[in-house]
Amino acid sequence: MQMHGPQCSFFWALMLVSGCPALVDACDLGESVCGAQAPGDVVFGILLPCHRKVENLLQRIRPENFQCTDFHLEPFLRSLAAIHEIEAINAANFLPGVRLGYLMCDTCGSASKALHGVGQMLQVNGSLNAICDYTDFRPTVKIVLGALYSEVSIAVARLMNVYMVPMLSSTSSAPDLSNKQRYPSFMRTISNDEHQTQAVARMMHHFGWNWVGVVYGDDEYGSEAFHSFLGKAEANGVCLAYQEVLPHYLNESLSLRVQRVAEVIRSSSAQVVLLILKAELVKRLFEEMISTNTSRIWIATDSWTKSKTLSKMEGINEVGDILGFTFISEESEPFNNYLKNLTETPGGYNHFIEEYKNLRFNCSPECFSSEPPPYCPSPDLLRIKSPSACDFEDPQVQNDDYLVRALDTRETFLQRASVWAAANALKELLKCNNSSCSGEINFPPWRLLEALKKVEFQFQKHYINFDENGDFLSYYNLIMWQRDGNYRRFQNIGKYFVLDAEIKVDENIAWFSTANTTIPRYRCSDPCAPGSVKKILNVFCCYNCTPCAEGTFSDAPDLVTCKVCPNDTWALKGWTQCMPRSESFLRWTDIHPIILIAATAFGILLLFVTAVIFLVYRDSPPMKRAEVRLSCVMMVGLSVSFVSVICFMGKPNAHLCRARQLMYAVGFTLCVSCILVKAYRTFLAFLPFGQLTSRRLHKLYKPTALVIGLTAVQGIVCLLWLTLDSPDIDPTPPSPQSMVKLIQCSEGRTHIGFGVMLAYIALLALVGFVLAAKGRKVPQEFSETGYIIFSMLMYVFVWVCFIPAYITNHGNAAPVQATAILVSTYSIIFCHLLPKCYEALRGSEADTLECVLRRWRGLTGPKSDPEICTDSDVPEMVLPCVTANRLSITSTTTMLKSTGTLSPPDSVFIKQMSYRKIHACMKLGNQLRRRRSISI
């Protein structure tokens, strides 16, 4: 008899409240505990939560029957997938002569409820007896497919270890279940969460997110996945801003806890949040986020990545971007057709299908009122209601495509693969061929476990097998929730390959966070650009960027340490690569060396022209006064100094370093020695001394010996310098702040030899300057004191300027010294040699000795009766007569000759004499024409 109207509605409402429709006290019937069954030769157990929770579980004191509430569509769809494949295997006669049956028990998301159902599955003849050896234990159910949650699978698997009944799950991914010592009978058609957490960490690394928050459940699945993620996150440079725990079971106190967690999320700077939760908890959290208009990037785990319930939430577009990983999914057209024509298996029952059809097609308008009756389902379940529900008389005979439209049937692929894995293992165990199966049908379950570990087959183009841990390793799909009107749709944007640990992502992704395809960058600190490294603060993701020091570099962003430059290369502060240092020396092609070489060539040419003039006009009075032989020796020394400048050019080596200093030292010493001898000659000729002193000074005047001796001393200094502290290539390393490697000479470790060499030349110049200064009142027509004084002053001035310039310009020591050599050499030429050339070319005439002596007497003697000295060759000059008690004139050889020519044998020495004798001599001089010459 059929019931209509309110009576029918009330009847079905009572069934909804009960959860499991038949609640009887007798436990000898499977229907009292399990909600679906179909008979068969080999029975598969199915453990899935067709309801979300057990009612009043916290208040449960007595071991009463479990009351389940809140019908759960996704696991219900999985149970239908398993049932459909069992029926398809039977229909295809895959196991000839063997029919598969099933016994499905609702876990209601509770491990205790699951164990209650397992007790029913393992009964033998309606009872479950305790024995010592279960080797020959032959329960009706040979394999259990499930459970959905890892927490339930862990509890059930521990019990299954006693009986070694195989348990095959397509969703429980806790890493601990791979431990074959603890769970030897558990297997699964998915990878464990070690791979999933690795995939999540790799994805975060790929997108550049290193500052994330984590919210996880306090069940085994959430705890194990969280601790697995910790290690993977650190390996991929991801840090946790916070970690929060939510209770895995829904109760009244959950709302307050969700609010506290939501406040932590809102207050944190982390914009990426990983949710290792059940879909029910995620829904509660999203509701709180939507109410406060909080947007983040949410990372989903496989438990809710493709939850249609969440994707159809009101305001789901306000929470931000959602990404997550799922397992292999494939469409099955036969399964979709089965869902569109949903019926119970012939010969069996399925109260879950009945409950679904009541929710979908039963007319209950009172449940949509403002004050619905207590027996009405939750608002979420009311959404299942068909708009045409009140048009149907019997809900159980109605069907439509709602399950195909509302749920993603592709996600049942691994559930269907589990059934086929068990079927293939059975085929091997029962020794089936195309016509029959010869094996024992009522076998102990552990034998099926052995066959299941070895099974290998292809299902919908995927190769299915199990590793040593009983896991199926393949790949994960990376899913992004894209906007679909007011809701979301799932889009596959990449893959993570488990065996290779590689992730491939489509870069053309539309992000909520940026409103375009630009990847949002959420980090604790901005990336350190190449050339700098991270200075870690509290956690390694939070840091300051510091440039790499000199000699080190970083060629990639976010490096922790700088790399050291290889040999013969260098890097400045903050560089991204090392480069060879450029060498710096006076290259022949550079402007400065070209100028120095041109000045050197011009100087040598000038000396050559000067030498030619000296030789051509060697008999002229100016040249005789300048002493041609000494001047030529001077020019030889100056030429050597000029040549030493050339040794400053090009890339220096030890030989050039020594040669240039030796050439300059000897050449310029030779020149200054000649100038000193000239100054000494003038000094001896005209300055008054006593007889004893005069003789001693005359004995010292040996020009050739003096020049050779003074130059030899410099040679000895240079020899000691080269022996004890020789010039060599400067070993001083370049400045760390410079990319220029200075190739220059070092004048020894202590520079003592170099200083002594220069000091010796300066001493000779100073002595020559003093001697010339003493004779500065001697008439210029007869002596070279003015030239000597000025040339020595120029030399001293140049080298006084050189010393501070040399010290302060260490990097330009070579051009500084070369310039100083050129300037000092040119000063000798222009101040000493060229004036003589000018006099010789002008043709000036020499003064007579008489006039020179008279002028000298007028300058040095007392003023008395003057006498007039007139010479036909020299302009008439008035010289005062000398009145003195005594006058001594010391001179070198003086040659007088009336003809105007000079002859060395006719020389006389002017000795110390009385004023009267000098006066007589002067009178004699008035009668003769005299010429003077001072010779070596």
Side-chain angles (χ1 to χ4, degrees):
M1 181 179 67
Q2 295 182 344
M3 292 180 292
H4 304 282
Q7 291 182 340
C8 181
S9 299
F10 180 72
F11 172 77
W12 291 116
L14 287 176
M15 292 187 65
L16 291 175
V17 173
S18 65
C20 290
L23 300 174
V24 295
D25 293 332
C27 288
D28 58 340
L29 296 176
E31 189 176 352
S32 65
V33 178
C34 299
Q37 183 180 13
D41 301 315
V42 178
V43 178
F44 288 1
I46 302 174
L47 275 179
L48 289 170
C50 289
H51 294 85
R52 295 183 185 274
K53 62 180 181 178
V54 176
E55 190 175 34
N56 300 322
L57 185 62
L58 295 179
Q59 289 77 32
R60 189 171 187 266
I61 298 176
R62 294 184 296 176
E64 301 173 324
N65 200 4
F66 294 94
Q67 301 290 332
C68 298
T69 61
D70 292 342
F71 194 76
H72 200 179
L73 276 182
E74 282 87 352
F76 171 64
L77 181 69
R78 290 180 179 274
S79 69
L80 295 179
I83 293 172
H84 169 262
E85 296 305 321
I86 290 174
E87 293 180 357
I89 291 171
N90 291 333
N93 200 27
F94 184 75
L95 301 170
V98 178
R99 180 175 180 82
L100 297 180
Y102 61 86
L103 177 61
M104 178 180 171
C105 295
D106 187 4
T107 67
C108 304
S110 169
S112 299
K113 180 66 172 68
L115 290 172
H116 189 202
V118 170
Q120 180 68 30
M121 291 180 179
L122 297 181
Q123 288 182 3
V124 178
N125 298 324
S127 64
L128 182 60
N129 299 321
I131 58 177
C132 295
D133 188 357
Y134 289 97
T135 304
D136 199 38
F137 177 66
R138 300 170 189 259
T140 303
V141 174
K142 305 299 184 182
I143 185 171
V144 175
L145 304 177
L148 183 71
Y149 301 123
S150 294
E151 179 191 16
V152 177
S153 294
I154 288 172
V156 174
R158 290 183 185 276
L159 178 61
M160 294 300 188
N161 293 341
V162 178
Y163 310 101
M164 293 305 290
V165 175
M167 186 174 180
L168 184 58
S169 175
S170 63
T171 54
S172 298
S173 55
D176 194 39
L177 289 168
S178 295
N179 188 338
K180 294 301 103 177
Q181 289 185 343
R182 301 180 66 181
Y183 310 100
S185 63
F186 180 84
M187 300 179 70
R188 51 190 168 190
T189 54
I190 59 171
S191 305
N192 72 54
D193 279 335
E194 289 283 345
H195 302 293
Q196 184 176 189
T197 53
Q198 173 73 4
V200 171
R202 291 289 296 166
M203 178 194 67
M204 291 177 176
H205 178 77
H206 175 81
F207 289 128
W209 303 331
N210 71 352
W211 191 235
V212 303
V214 180
V215 182
Y216 64 97
D218 63 353
D219 56 351
E220 282 84 352
Y221 167 74
S223 298
E224 289 195 26
F226 169 70
H227 288 96
S228 173
F229 174 73
L230 285 180
K232 305 298 189 298
E234 184 176 356
N236 286 275
V238 179
C239 299
L240 268 60
Y242 58 85
Q243 55 192 57
E244 294 293 328
V245 184
L246 282 177
H248 73 284
Y249 203 80
L250 303 177
N251 53 50
E252 291 74 12
S253 63
L254 180 65
S255 298
L256 292 177
R257 182 60 185 156
V258 169
Q259 290 176 6
R260 286 196 292 268
V261 171
E263 181 58 31
V264 172
I265 295 174
R266 284 192 294 268
S267 61
S268 174
S269 60
Q271 299 295 307
V272 180
V273 185
L274 171 62
L275 300 180
I276 311 175
L277 301 170
K278 295 178 181 178
E280 297 82 7
L281 294 176
V282 175
K283 183 174 183 294
R284 292 284 190 93
L285 187 59
F286 277 1
E287 288 173 350
E288 184 67 24
M289 295 291 105
I290 293 170
S291 66
T292 57
N293 196 27
T294 303
S295 176
R296 293 290 187 270
I297 292 181
W298 308 94
I299 308 301
T301 55
D302 61 282
S303 60
W304 65 276
T305 295
K306 299 186 76 172
S307 171
K308 280 292 186 73
T309 304
L310 294 176
S311 67
K312 300 298 183 182
M313 282 180 62
E314 293 296 331
I316 189 63
N317 288 331
E318 306 301 322
V319 299
D321 293 295
I322 302 175
L323 299 93
F325 287 96
T326 62
F327 305 110
I328 302 173
S329 59
E330 292 291 344
E331 192 80 31
S332 173
E333 191 64 29
F335 178 52
N336 290 344
N337 294 332
Y338 169 78
L339 295 177
K340 295 175 184 177
N341 300 279
L342 194 59
T343 58
E344 299 172 356
T345 305
Y349 62 88
N350 194 324
H351 296 309
F352 304 112
I353 294 178
E354 294 175 5
E355 186 174 354
Y356 163 71
K357 288 193 174 184
N358 286 326
L359 287 171
R360 175 67 179 162
F361 302 112
N362 183 48
C363 181
S364 54
E366 69 279 4
C367 293
F368 292 91
S369 63
S370 59
E371 296 182 1
Y375 58 79
C376 289
S378 64
D380 288 337
L381 288 176
L382 285 176
R383 293 195 184 97
I384 300 176
K385 190 71 66 178
S386 171
S388 305
C390 291
D391 297 337
F392 306 129
E393 292 184 358
D394 185 3
Q396 298 304 313
V397 298
Q398 304 303 319
N399 277 300
D400 63 4
D401 61 351
Y402 175 77
L403 290 175
V404 178
R405 290 185 291 104
L407 301 176
D408 188 357
T409 60
R410 295 176 300 174
E411 291 302 299
T412 62
F413 169 77
L414 293 177
Q415 185 72 44
R416 293 183 280 114
S418 298
V419 176
W420 278 97
N424 278 275
L426 271 176
K427 188 173 185 178
E428 187 69 25
L429 177 64
L430 299 180
K431 302 176 182 178
C432 298
N433 52 33
N434 294 331
S435 59
S436 64
C437 295
S438 60
E440 183 183 5
I441 294 178
N442 188 21
F443 53 85
W446 60 267
R447 294 184 60 193
L448 179 59
L449 177 62
E450 283 186 334
L452 189 61
K453 290 181 178 180
K454 302 175 183 178
V455 72
E456 294 182 1
F457 66 101
Q458 192 168 4
F459 179 63
Q460 288 191 243
K461 301 181 181 179
H462 290 277
Y463 183 73
I464 308 295
N465 67 342
F466 301 96
D467 65 5
E468 65 276 7
N469 296 320
D471 299 336
F472 169 54
L473 302 180
S474 183
Y475 62 85
Y476 292 92
N477 289 316
L478 177 57
I479 304 299
M480 186 172 192
W481 292 29
Q482 296 287 2
R483 184 189 296 271
D484 186 18
N486 294 328
Y487 303 110
R488 297 289 187 94
R489 60 180 175 85
F490 308 125
Q491 179 180 349
N492 192 336
I493 63 169
K495 280 182 171 56
Y496 175 77
F497 298 93
V498 173
L499 296 178
D500 299 331
E502 291 184 358
I503 188 170
K504 294 183 179 180
V505 181
D506 182 7
E507 300 299 334
N508 297 320
I509 307 171
W511 297 84
F512 276 84
S513 306
T514 58
N516 52 37
T517 58
T518 302
I519 300 175
R521 301 289 182 181
Y522 294 125
R523 305 169 62 95
C524 180
S525 301
D526 291 333
C528 288
S532 61
V533 291
K534 298 186 291 189
K535 183 179 181 181
I536 307 298
L537 301 177
N538 295 329
V539 292
F540 68 87
C541 295
C542 302
Y543 47 81
N544 293 326
C545 297
T546 57
C548 288
E550 291 83 359
T552 62
F553 71 102
S554 65
D555 54 358
D558 276 350
L559 292 183
V560 178
T561 57
C562 297
K563 302 177 183 178
V564 179
C565 289
N567 294 334
D568 299 326
T569 61
W570 194 252
L572 297 184
K573 187 175 182 179
W575 276 27
T576 60
Q577 61 179 344
C578 295
M579 299 176 61
R581 276 187 164 122
S582 60
E583 294 182 342
S584 175
F585 52 87
L586 293 178
R587 302 178 186 275
W588 294 96
T589 56
D590 292 344
I591 297 298
H592 194 180
I594 290 176
I595 295 174
L596 294 177
I597 294 171
T600 300
F602 180 74
I604 294 175
L605 179 62
L606 192 60
L607 284 176
F608 177 75
V609 173
T610 302
V612 170
I613 294 174
F614 266 73
L615 293 176
V616 170
Y617 292 91
R618 61 183 178 277
D619 294 329
S620 64
M623 292 305 172
K624 290 182 178 180
R625 290 198 300 270
E627 280 300 338
V628 174
R629 284 178 291 176
L630 274 179
S631 298
C632 289
V633 174
M634 283 176 57
M635 285 184 272
V636 171
L638 293 177
S639 299
V640 175
S641 296
F642 274 126
V643 174
S644 71
V645 174
I646 299 177
C647 295
F648 284 84
M649 310 303 152
K651 186 174 182 178
N653 55 53
H655 300 297
L656 286 177
C657 293
R658 295 161 188 164
R660 70 191 191 185
Q661 299 296 351
L662 182 62
M663 292 173 67
Y664 169 70
V666 174
F668 211 81
T669 300
L670 181 63
C671 174
V672 175
S673 298
C674 294
I675 295 175
L676 176 61
V677 169
K678 287 187 176 185
Y680 188 50
R681 181 196 63 183
T682 305
F683 176 76
L684 291 178
F686 293 100
L687 291 185
F689 283 99
Q691 184 175 6
L692 179 61
T693 304
S694 176
R695 289 176 181 176
R696 289 175 180 175
L697 292 176
H698 274 89
K699 289 180 181 180
L700 293 176
Y701 184 74
K702 300 183 182 300
T704 304
L706 284 174
V707 170
I708 295 175
L710 294 175
T711 306
V713 171
Q714 183 70 286
I716 294 172
V717 169
C718 293
L719 181 62
L720 293 174
W721 179 19
L722 295 177
T723 303
L724 301 178
D725 192 16
S726 176
D728 206 337
I729 300 298
D730 189 357
T732 304
S735 170
Q737 291 79 30
S738 174
M739 283 299 293
V740 177
K741 183 180 180 181
L742 188 61
I743 309 296
Q744 65 176 1
C745 295
S746 170
E747 314 310 338
R749 295 183 301 275
T750 61
H751 286 71
I752 293 177
F754 183 56
V756 172
M757 180 268 288
L758 294 179
Y760 181 72
I761 298 177
L763 177 63
L764 295 182
L766 183 62
V767 172
F769 172 78
V770 171
L771 292 177
K774 285 290 186 179
R776 64 185 179 279
K777 294 183 180 180
V778 175
Q780 183 63 30
E781 295 85 348
F782 185 76
S783 69
E784 299 177 281
T785 55
Y787 305 145
I788 295 173
I789 290 173
F790 196 64
S791 61
M792 291 299 98
L793 277 177
M794 285 294 297
Y795 170 78
V796 171
F797 173 77
V798 169
W799 288 96
V800 166
C801 294
F802 162 77
I803 293 173
Y806 182 84
I807 294 174
T808 57
N809 290 275
H810 177 72
N812 295 316
V816 167
Q817 187 179 359
T819 303
I821 292 173
L822 287 175
V823 174
S824 58
T825 306
Y826 271 109
S827 67
I828 302 297
I829 295 174
F830 283 99
C831 298
H832 197 95
L833 297 178
L834 290 185
K836 288 298 179 182
C837 294
Y838 174 75
E839 290 181 6
L841 293 174
R842 191 186 63 177
S844 63
E845 297 177 353
D847 292 333
T848 61
L849 177 59
E850 177 188 359
C851 292
V852 171
L853 293 176
R854 288 179 181 177
R855 292 178 186 175
W856 177 252
R857 183 179 59 188
L859 293 173
T860 58
K863 307 241 191 265
S864 60
D865 300 332
E867 295 180 0
I868 304 299
C869 175
T870 304
D871 186 83
S872 60
D873 295 328
V874 183
E876 189 173 16
M877 299 177 64
V878 179
L879 292 174
C881 295
V882 179
T883 304
N885 294 329
R886 181 179 177 185
L887 175 66
S888 79
I889 299 177
T890 305
S891 174
T892 53
T893 307
T894 304
M895 296 173 227
L896 308 175
K897 196 170 185 180
S898 59
T899 60
T901 60
L902 303 177
S903 177
D906 298 331
S907 62
V908 296
F909 292 92
I910 303 177
K911 305 290 185 180
Q912 184 180 11
M913 60 190 74
S914 65
Y915 176 78
R916 181 176 52 82
K917 292 181 179 179
I918 294 175
H919 186 68
C921 181
M922 297 296 289
K923 285 185 177 181
L924 179 62
N926 288 332
Q927 300 174 8
L928 300 173
R929 298 194 59 182
R930 305 166 182 88
R931 299 287 182 179
R932 75 192 189 293
S933 175
I934 309 299
S935 61
I936 298 179

